[in-house]
């Protein structure tokens, strides 16, 4: 068959839009300012995720890479821009943290207070918080002047300069008192880990005994060493930086300014939150997020995109925030696993249908070979391959496109299988080659080598099961001779945390929980990556 060049280009743009990994990229696919509204597909019916994240509370979206966290935040911001009393600020946490590593502070002013290693860390954290505040200022200025200009001129007069000057004054003290923390450090006498890691302590004890000659007493002293917990220094960092930046005072001033122009709520959207290390996240939460979130007036609320197992809440009460989990097993609640899978497949169907209509003005069956296989079977296959992760759907279709549409052929099951293997080899498997960009859970229990060995054991067992099923006379497997169901396994739920790094990198995916009939212990079921 012949597929027109226009349709080839449109389909390429479709799959390219799905595999994009930066939220700003969506604006590249169309000049239409409402493109996010036209392309957005909520994971739940009736836009329940969007409605939930729009509530006046702090919300954490957790999900593996590509589950749609940034897209949901972009859709939220699109709606907020249409409101008349809400403002959203977007902060790319990862980018700002990377920029902060090239700090401009003079290390000379801190000599004698930190070891060189601890000083470098401290100045990175200080620079990071300063850049966050600077980005808040930039976002405030840009978004208020863009979406609230009429109210600004109504209150401050036709010249918006008065508003800008008042906004600048709020942040001036950060520049004026750039090294105020040095005095705070001197007062607190903060010691570095190296200087304070070992100290001599005396244990003085008394002993008393009684014998025939009467009571006897004495004292003894022991000298020993005690290791200082590394977290204590980070707590000192947080305390110093909290006094240095005083975010509550800054934000209260911002609140008073914004209320003058009719803004009653500000949503601070933190993207790529889990891309920073634990110590930086802890300081960020303790110094800025928790104090602002816990203010009683509900003016500032956070919308945070995070990875499972890579989030720190500090003093934030988990019961007072909403956590939305986007991986399909935790997202779709149903009585049976079949119903869960059905909902996930339905989400993929809506995603592909909407993108195909937007980019190609056609239905999906124009690009998939349905002479022998129904479209619903393709949706099921895409679910099995991608675990209902939108970005992975994009990558699978991108690889499949090379073997099909680009060569004037429709996509077949075989194309999807080849694409799954290619995606696994190119994207998933490199985790074991020490890729520095692969993020892992904070409480990782096993090293990569042992995780690799464990995964190989699962795969070897699956191969053995497959061979045995093929020659088995059991009626249980009578219908599965051509494709034995050996891609799944289960473990005791108590051991599930050990496998989290493998799940986070898409080697495995959790898909069910069920009680064991013999022991009544809860078991977690996983599937191996289709590739």
């Amino acid at each position: 068959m012949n597929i027109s060049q226009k349709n080839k280009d449109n389909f390429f743009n479709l799959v390219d839009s799905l595999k994009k990994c930066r939220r700003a990229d969506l604006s590249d696919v169309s000049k239409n300012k409402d493109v996010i509204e036209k392309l957005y597909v909520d994971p739940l019916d009736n836009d329940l995720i969007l409605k939930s994240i729009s509530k006046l509370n702090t919300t954490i979206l957790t999900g593996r890479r590509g589950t749609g966290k940034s897209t949901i935040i972009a859709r939220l911001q699109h709606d907020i821009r249409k409101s008349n009393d809400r403002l959203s600020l977007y902060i790319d946490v990862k980018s700002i943290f990377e920029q902060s590593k090239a700090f401009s502070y003079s290390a000379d002013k801190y000599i004698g207070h930190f070891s060189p290693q601890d000083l470098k860390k401290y100045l990175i954290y200080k620079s990071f918080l300063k850049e966050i505040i600077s980005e808040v200022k930039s976002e405030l200025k840009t978004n208020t002047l863009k979406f609230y200009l009429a109210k600004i001129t109504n209150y401050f007069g036709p010249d918006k300069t008065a508003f800008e000057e008042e906004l600048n004054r709020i942040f001036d003290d950060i520049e004026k008192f750039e090294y105020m923390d040095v005095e705070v450090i001197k007062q607190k006498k903060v010691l570095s880990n190296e200087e304070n890691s070992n100290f001599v302590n005396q244990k003085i004890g008394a002993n008393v005994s009684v014998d025939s000659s009467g009571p006897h007493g004495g004292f003894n002293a022991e000298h020993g060493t005690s290791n200082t917990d590394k977290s204590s220094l980070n707590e000192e960092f947080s305390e110093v930086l909290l006094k240095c930046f005083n975010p509550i005072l800054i934000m209260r001033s911002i609140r008073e300014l914004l209320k003058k122009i009719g803004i009653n709520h500000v949503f601070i959207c933190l993207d790529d939150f889990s891309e920073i290390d634990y110590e930086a996240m802890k300081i960020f939460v303790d110094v800025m997020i928790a104090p602002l979130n816990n203010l009683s007036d509900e003016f500032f609320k956070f919308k945070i995109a995070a990875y499972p197992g890579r989030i720190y809440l500090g003093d934030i009460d988990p019961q007072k925030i909403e956590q939305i989990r986007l991986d399909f097993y935790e997202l779709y609640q149903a009585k049976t696993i079949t119903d869960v899978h059905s909902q996930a497949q339905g989400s993929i169907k809506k995603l592909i249908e909407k993108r195909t209509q937007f980019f190609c003005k056609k239905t999906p069956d124009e690009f998939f070979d349905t002479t022998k296989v129904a479209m619903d079977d393709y949706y099921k296959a895409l679910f099995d391959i991608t675990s209902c992760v939108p970005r992975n759907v994009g990558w699978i279709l991108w690889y499949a496109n090379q073997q099909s549409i680009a060569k004037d052929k429709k996509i077949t099951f075989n194309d999807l299988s080849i694409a799954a293997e290619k995606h696994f080899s190119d994207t998933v498997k490199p985790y074991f080659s020490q890729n520095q960009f692969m993020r892992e859970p904070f409480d990782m229990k096993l090293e990569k080598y042992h995780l690799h060995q464990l995964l190989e054991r699962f795969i070897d067992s699956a191969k053995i099961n497959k061979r045995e099923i093929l020659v088995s006379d059991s009626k249980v497997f009578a219908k599965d001779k051509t494709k034995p169901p050996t891609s799944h396994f289960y473990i005791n739920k108590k051991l599930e945390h050990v496998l989290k790094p493998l799940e986070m990198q898409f080697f495995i995916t959790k898909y069910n929980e069920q009680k064991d009939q013999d022991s009544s212990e809860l078991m977690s079921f996983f599937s191996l990556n289709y590739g």
Side-chain angles (χ1 to χ4, degrees), residues 69-276:
K69 301 180 294 294
S70 298
T71 302
I72 293 170
I73 286 177
R75 182 67 174 85
L76 168 70
Q77 289 193 281
H78 177 75
D79 281 359
I80 290 175
R81 292 181 187 119
K82 296 179 180 180
S83 70
N84 57 13
D85 70 338
R86 296 186 184 188
L87 187 71
S88 71
L89 312 178
Y90 178 81
I91 309 293
D92 186 334
V93 178
K94 176 186 177 182
S95 295
I96 292 176
F97 184 64
E98 292 301 319
Q99 294 168 16
S100 303
K101 293 179 180 179
F103 55 82
S104 59
Y105 292 113
S106 171
D108 294 341
K109 297 181 181 294
Y110 300 89
I111 291 177
H113 298 290
F114 298 105
S115 70
Q117 182 180 0
D118 290 336
L119 177 57
K120 181 179 179 181
K121 287 170 59 177
Y122 174 78
L123 292 181
I124 288 175
Y125 298 153
K126 180 181 177 181
S127 178
F128 175 47
L129 295 182
K130 181 184 176 183
E131 291 299 325
I132 288 286
I133 292 175
S134 177
E135 187 68 11
V136 167
K137 176 184 176 181
S138 176
E139 281 282 296
L140 278 170
K141 184 176 180 180
T142 300
N143 287 289
T144 50
L145 293 177
K146 185 174 182 179
F147 301 108
Y148 285 86
L149 184 58
K151 291 186 176 182
I152 289 173
T153 54
N154 184 52
Y155 186 90
F156 289 92
D159 186 1
K160 64 181 185 294
T161 305
F163 171 80
E164 294 181 86
E165 289 177 349
E166 189 165 338
L167 180 62
N168 289 334
R169 277 196 296 271
I170 294 173
F171 295 89
D172 280 348
D173 285 348
I174 295 177
E175 299 294 337
K176 289 179 182 176
F177 304 105
E178 195 170 29
Y179 291 100
M180 184 182 72
D181 56 324
V182 177
E183 295 303 317
V184 177
I185 291 170
K186 288 179 180 178
Q187 293 172 11
K188 290 186 62 61
K189 297 180 180 178
V190 178
L191 298 176
S192 71
N193 273 344
E194 291 181 7
E195 294 169 331
N196 201 33
S197 60
N198 294 292
F199 62 89
V200 177
N201 64 79
Q202 288 189 329
K203 295 181 180 178
I204 300 177
N207 58 75
V208 179
S209 62
V210 179
D211 59 21
S212 58
S213 62
H216 300 273
F219 293 90
N220 62 73
E222 296 179 4
H223 295 273
T225 60
S226 173
N227 291 323
T228 302
D229 189 351
K230 182 173 67 173
S231 65
S232 63
L233 183 64
N234 290 331
E235 290 172 3
E236 297 281 8
F237 284 171
S238 296
E239 192 172 341
V240 170
L241 292 170
L242 185 60
K243 292 181 179 180
C244 176
F245 289 108
N246 201 346
I248 292 181
L249 182 62
I250 294 173
M251 290 306 191
R252 280 177 175 165
S253 299
I254 291 172
R255 178 190 61 191
E256 296 308 313
L257 175 61
L258 295 182
K259 282 191 171 183
K260 292 177 182 178
I261 58 174
I263 296 174
N264 295 318
H265 302 285
V266 174
F267 289 172
I268 303 176
C269 303
L270 303 177
D271 207 359
D272 278 347
F273 182 69
S274 294
E275 290 285 346
I276 63 177

Side-chain angles (χ1 to χ4, degrees), residues 402-419:
Q402 299 174 28
Q403 301 297 321
S404 55
I405 307 299
K407 297 180 179 180
D408 289 318
K409 297 185 295 183
K410 289 188 175 184
I411 296 172
T412 65
F413 253 45
N414 188 54
D415 294 326
L416 295 182
S417 295
I418 294 173

Side-chain angles (χ1 to χ4, degrees), residues 276-290:
I276 63 177
D277 61 56
Y278 176 78
E279 293 177 2
M281 183 184 294
K282 187 176 186 302
I283 287 175
F284 185 23
V285 171
D286 290 343
V287 175
M288 289 194 173
I289 299 178

